[in-house]
């Protein structure tokens, strides 16, 4: 779950739970059968930890951030995210491994661990090192996101009823890129669905920089709001910079820009059949959602057709090779971190000194696959938070997106 952006601030509803001590929690600790070993980071509304499963694999534990833990709304969102994501079964959607409650009543979700970067981290590193993202890899990433959305939008529960899922938070930080070339959509924490809590009146949740105009206006949204966000993502990858930026450091200016729904002028990069690509993006970014693509599948069809005609079809294997060539130090650090975590001593809670700052979770549930949707299948933040040290160059500069002077991701 990420930040809540609203005109008058987030509106909280429902009963409250007991407040929690400062986060992150004292380490190590257990969350069910998961051994929680290190702190990964946090989003706007969630705390993330690295953990080890009983089978000797890594996982990510997610719980509501301490300052929001007393609000029932956020507790309900976390459990709704577990139910919704657990009903999705697709290679481009993050996988739920388990869920449970700690002894202070706080719920947690366990997700698969992705060894790699999220798209926002990748773009920031590309900017710092003056590396361009090749267009075929950008298309691979966006088409993977569209496949994930197509599955989520059409998914049904175990009784066959539609989930009516809308992600509502499509953005670079919620797209995970594994060093194996895999692409996964994560963080359904503010999604709308039959299995998610209703959005209270007067709230606007999500990232304003990627909102559709109806979302930014506080109106009900449907799947076409996700396609609008995917269009922004594609525009940004094509131009190598953000489509919307704050004015005078005023975060509300992003919300205003989202409501205006103006699309900046396209910069011609000399790509094959480039106007066709621009037309796809323009259709996704139509102000009136009736004029947008009707489904993720329709947008995906056009984007695949363009990539084939332009000779820009990529693959996960090619993406993996590019990531390994351009970011070998990052990959080596993450592999070393994985080995260190898997080789860490077993968590012994009885040997942990008693302290008011130490929360001792009770063993509740182990790693498990949540039952999945029977719908047809077509696949916060789990990437490592290691900081980039040093600088390097990359020789893979074919089909680079955007001039180096246009980079503006930081």
């Amino acid at each position: 779950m990420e930040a809540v952006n609203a005109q008058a601030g987030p509106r909280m509803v429902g009963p409250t739970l007991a407040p929690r001590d400062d986060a992150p929690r004292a380490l190590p600790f257990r969350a069910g059968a998961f051994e929680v070993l290190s702190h990964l980071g946090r989003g706007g509304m969630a705390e993330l930890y690295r953990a080890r499963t009983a089978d000797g694999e890594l996982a990510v534990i997610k719980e509501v951030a301490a300052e929001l833990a007393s609000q029932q709304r956020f507790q309900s969102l976390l459990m709704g995210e577990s139910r919704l994501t657990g009903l999705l079964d697709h290679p481009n959607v993050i996988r739920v491994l388990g869920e449970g409650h700690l002894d202070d009543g706080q719920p947690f979700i366990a997700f698969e661990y992705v060894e790699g970067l999220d798209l926002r981290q990748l773009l920031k590193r590309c900017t710092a090192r003056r590396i361009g993202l090749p267009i075929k890899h950008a298309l691979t990433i966006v088409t993977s996101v569209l496949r994930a959305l197509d599955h989520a939008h059409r998914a049904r529960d175990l009784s066959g009823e539609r989930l009516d899922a809308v992600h509502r938070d499509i953005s670079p930080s919620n797209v995970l890129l594994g060093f194996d070339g895999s692409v996964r959509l994560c963080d359904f924490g503010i999604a709308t669905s039959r299995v998610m809590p209703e959005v209270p009146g007067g709230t606007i949740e999500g990232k304003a920089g990627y909102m559709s105009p109806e979302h930014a206006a506080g109106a009900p949204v449907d799947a076409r709001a996700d396609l609008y966000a995917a269009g922004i993502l594609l525009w940004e990858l094509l131009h190598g910079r953000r489509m919307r930026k704050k004015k005078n450091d005023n975060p509300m200016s992003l919300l205003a820009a989202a409501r205006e729904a103006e699309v900046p002028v396209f910069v011609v990069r000399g790509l094959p059949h480039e106007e066709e690509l621009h037309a796809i993006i323009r259709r996704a970014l139509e102000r009136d959602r009736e004029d947008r693509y009707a489904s993720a599948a329709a947008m995906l069809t056009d984007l695949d057709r363009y990539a084939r005609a332009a000779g820009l079809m990529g693959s996960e294997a090619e993406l993996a090779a590019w990531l390994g060539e351009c970011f070998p130090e990052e990959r080596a650090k993450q592999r070393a971190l994985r080995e260190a975590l898997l080789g860490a001593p077993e968590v012994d809670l009885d040997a942990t000194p008693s302290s008011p700052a130490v929360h001792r979770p009770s063993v509740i549930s182990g790693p498990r696959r949540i039952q999945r949707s029977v719908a047809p299948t077509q696949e916060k933040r789990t990437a490592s938070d290691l900081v980039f040290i040093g600088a390097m160059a990359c020789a893979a500069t074919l089909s680079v997106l955007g001039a180096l002077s246009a980079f503006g991701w930081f």
Side-chain angles (χ1 to χ4, degrees):
M1 293 178 286
E2 292 295 329
V4 176
N5 300 315
Q7 277 186 301
R11 175 185 172 188
M12 310 306 176
V13 297
T16 60
L17 300 179
R20 205 175 79 222
D21 292 340
D22 291 342
R25 296 176 182 271
L27 296 165
F29 65 89
R30 281 187 179 274
F34 298 92
E35 299 176 277
V36 183
L37 303 172
S38 70
H39 185 240
L40 173 60
R42 65 163 300 165
M45 295 188 286
E47 208 72 55
L48 302 171
Y49 303 87
R50 300 183 189 89
R52 183 171 57 192
T53 73
D55 297 328
E57 293 297 328
L58 294 185
V60 169
I61 301 296
K62 178 176 183 177
E63 69 167 343
V64 178
E67 66 271 21
L68 302 174
S70 63
Q71 299 291 340
Q72 185 61 48
R73 165 79 176 154
F74 296 104
Q75 305 286 336
S76 299
L77 283 173
L78 189 70
M79 289 294 91
E81 179 183 6
S82 180
R83 288 191 297 272
L84 174 58
T85 313
L87 286 166
L88 304 178
D89 187 9
H90 192 277
N92 294 123
V93 176
I94 197 71
R95 185 164 56 95
V96 175
L97 301 179
E99 62 181 38
H101 288 78
L102 305 180
D103 68 348
D104 58 2
Q106 299 299 327
F108 72 86
I109 315 174
F111 293 101
E112 64 178 318
Y113 183 87
V114 177
E115 191 172 305
L117 302 165
D118 66 42
L119 183 56
R120 180 174 178 272
Q121 290 172 325
L122 174 66
L123 294 171
K124 288 172 66 176
R125 282 158 174 74
C126 285
T127 296
R129 306 180 197 193
R130 302 180 71 80
I131 297 171
L133 176 65
I135 182 63
K136 68 177 180 180
H137 299 328
L139 294 177
T140 294
I141 292 167
V142 175
T143 54
S144 295
V145 170
L146 288 172
R147 289 186 175 91
L149 288 174
D150 178 51
H151 173 71
H153 292 162
R154 295 187 301 107
R156 298 176 182 271
D157 64 17
L158 298 177
S159 66
E161 292 189 68
R162 291 185 64 94
L163 292 172
D164 296 326
V166 182
H167 189 283
R168 295 206 308 154
D169 201 12
I170 302 300
S171 60
S173 61
N174 290 333
V175 178
L176 306 180
L177 310 175
F179 282 120
D180 60 357
S182 61
V183 181
R184 290 177 178 82
L185 179 62
C186 71
D187 202 344
F188 285 76
I190 61 168
T192 56
S193 167
R194 274 196 315 102
V195 299
M196 292 288 287
E198 292 186 7
V199 179
T203 63
I204 302 176
E205 299 169 320
K207 301 184 186 74
Y210 297 88
M211 284 183 184
S212 65
E214 65 272 17
H215 187 173
V221 299
D222 60 21
R224 291 168 292 185
D226 285 344
L227 304 186
Y228 190 97
I232 293 179
L233 203 62
L234 187 53
W235 190 98
E236 292 183 341
L237 295 181
L238 179 65
H239 292 81
R241 61 183 175 87
R242 296 189 189 280
M243 194 178 94
R244 296 172 182 162
K245 287 191 175 183
K246 291 184 292 186
K247 296 179 180 178
N248 301 319
D249 291 326
N250 178 11
M252 300 309 295
S253 64
L254 285 176
L255 200 60
R259 290 169 176 162
E260 293 168 4
E262 293 185 4
V263 181
V265 175
F266 286 81
V267 175
V268 176
R269 302 299 185 192
L271 298 172
H273 313 295
E274 191 165 9
E275 183 50 42
E276 293 181 22
L277 179 59
H278 292 176
I280 293 171
I281 300 174
R282 286 193 187 95
R283 184 173 177 186
L285 295 179
E286 287 286 354
R287 176 191 293 270
D288 187 341
R289 59 184 168 188
E290 296 298 329
D291 295 329
R292 295 177 210 152
Y293 285 100
S295 67
M299 184 175 175
L300 178 62
T301 297
D302 279 1
L303 206 52
D304 273 340
R305 183 184 297 118
Y306 166 76
R308 290 192 184 92
L312 293 170
M313 288 292 292
S315 67
E316 287 189 356
E318 291 174 309
L319 178 58
W322 181 80
L323 288 171
E325 182 177 3
C326 292
F327 305 99
E329 294 177 357
E330 186 78 33
R331 184 173 63 175
K333 290 173 186 175
Q334 293 201 31
R335 286 181 176 175
L337 175 63
R338 171 184 285 273
E339 293 177 3
L341 291 171
L342 293 178
E346 183 177 353
V347 176
D348 183 0
L349 292 179
D350 293 334
T352 304
S354 178
S355 167
V358 177
H359 297 265
R360 297 179 178 277
S362 56
V363 177
I364 296 176
S365 68
R368 61 184 177 87
R369 283 293 294 270
I370 303 296
Q371 287 184 306
R372 303 293 186 173
S373 168
V374 294
T377 60
Q378 290 295 324
E379 167 178 323
K380 171 79 201 192
R381 184 173 303 157
T382 60
S384 170
D385 57 351
L386 296 175
V387 178
F388 162 63
I389 301 175
M392 58 179 294
C394 174
T397 56
L398 295 178
S399 302
V400 170
L401 292 177
L404 293 177
S405 61
F407 285 0
W409 287 97
F410 221 162

